[in-house]
Amino acid sequence: MGFTEFVAQRSGALFRAAYALTGDVHVAEDLVQEALERACRQWRKVAVADSPEAYVRKVLVNLANDRWRRLSRRGERPGLSGVPETADPRDRFGQVDLRAELIEALLGLPMGMRSVVVLYYLHDLDTRQIADVLDISSSAVRSQLARGLAKLRDSVSGAQAPHTPSAAFGGTK
């Protein structure tokens, strides 16, 4: 698959992950653009890898983590911004009523925990794959996921809160 075809097929999923990690439409767009730019520069190596998407996803998560660390050092707390008032009708993820509340709750999680939840529910990665992306153990992934879900359940209000984030993201888990 060529780079242009890869971008056409996978940029939407990468954007959703970046948005879930940052809570900011514009920052998410920038992160996806930078991750794709880095992949483009290395495309010959990336294209022959087992999974080009895994490479780009790892770059994206690392960029989001780096951004979060920079903001944390300056004492800033990234928040939800740039959220469109109405969702694009073609965006099935935008049709969920609790989307903004869930993103806000995700932003309240520590970055490592947030990364695990996003990779598990948005990208349907298993614990081993997440461990590889984040360079942590599978048991750490399971622990972060369990604690992250508990925190999300506590912070998402209302009786109709989804049991897991996948219900709000339209996932299968």
Side-chain angles (χ1 to χ4, degrees):
M1 164 184 338
F3 180 73
T4 305
E5 185 180 348
F6 173 80
V7 171
Q9 289 179 4
R10 302 310 309 155
S11 61
L14 293 168
F15 172 78
R16 285 188 293 276
Y19 179 71
L21 290 169
T22 64
D24 186 304
V25 171
H26 304 294
V27 172
E29 289 171 345
D30 290 345
L31 288 178
V32 170
Q33 182 177 356
E34 188 171 349
L36 290 172
E37 177 186 338
R38 289 181 183 194
C40 183
R41 282 188 259 143
Q42 301 291 323
W43 190 249
R44 286 192 177 131
K45 287 191 326 191
V46 173
V48 297
D50 290 340
S51 174
E53 184 176 2
Y55 173 87
V56 178
R57 188 183 311 115
K58 185 170 185 166
V59 169
L60 182 71
V61 169
N62 288 337
L63 288 170
N65 285 335
D66 291 346
R67 177 184 175 275
W68 181 80
R69 278 188 218 101
R70 277 193 313 274
L71 292 176
S72 294
R73 275 189 225 119
R74 292 190 295 203
E76 295 178 35
R77 184 176 183 270
L80 190 63
S81 66
V83 178
E85 289 298 318
T86 59
D88 183 336
R90 297 169 298 199
D91 180 11
R92 65 185 175 102
F93 297 99
Q95 301 304 309
V96 178
D97 291 337
L98 295 176
R99 180 178 182 214
E101 189 176 356
L102 180 59
I103 294 296
E104 191 68 39
L106 275 170
L107 293 175
L109 297 177
M111 191 61 184
M113 195 178 290
R114 185 183 328 160
S115 298
V116 168
V117 170
V118 167
L119 291 172
Y120 188 80
Y121 286 103
L122 248 57
H123 285 277
D124 291 327
L125 298 183
D126 62 32
T127 56
R128 183 189 49 76
Q129 292 169 315
I130 296 170
D132 289 344
V133 169
L134 299 177
D135 293 325
I136 59 177
S137 69
S138 291
S139 60
V141 170
R142 290 188 297 274
S143 172
Q144 294 278 340
L145 185 60
R147 291 185 0 225
L149 289 178
K151 285 184 177 195
L152 286 175
R153 284 186 194 110
D154 289 343
S155 63
V156 175
S157 63
Q160 65 271 77
H163 182 64
T164 61
S166 65
F169 282 123
T172 58
K173 293 191 182 217

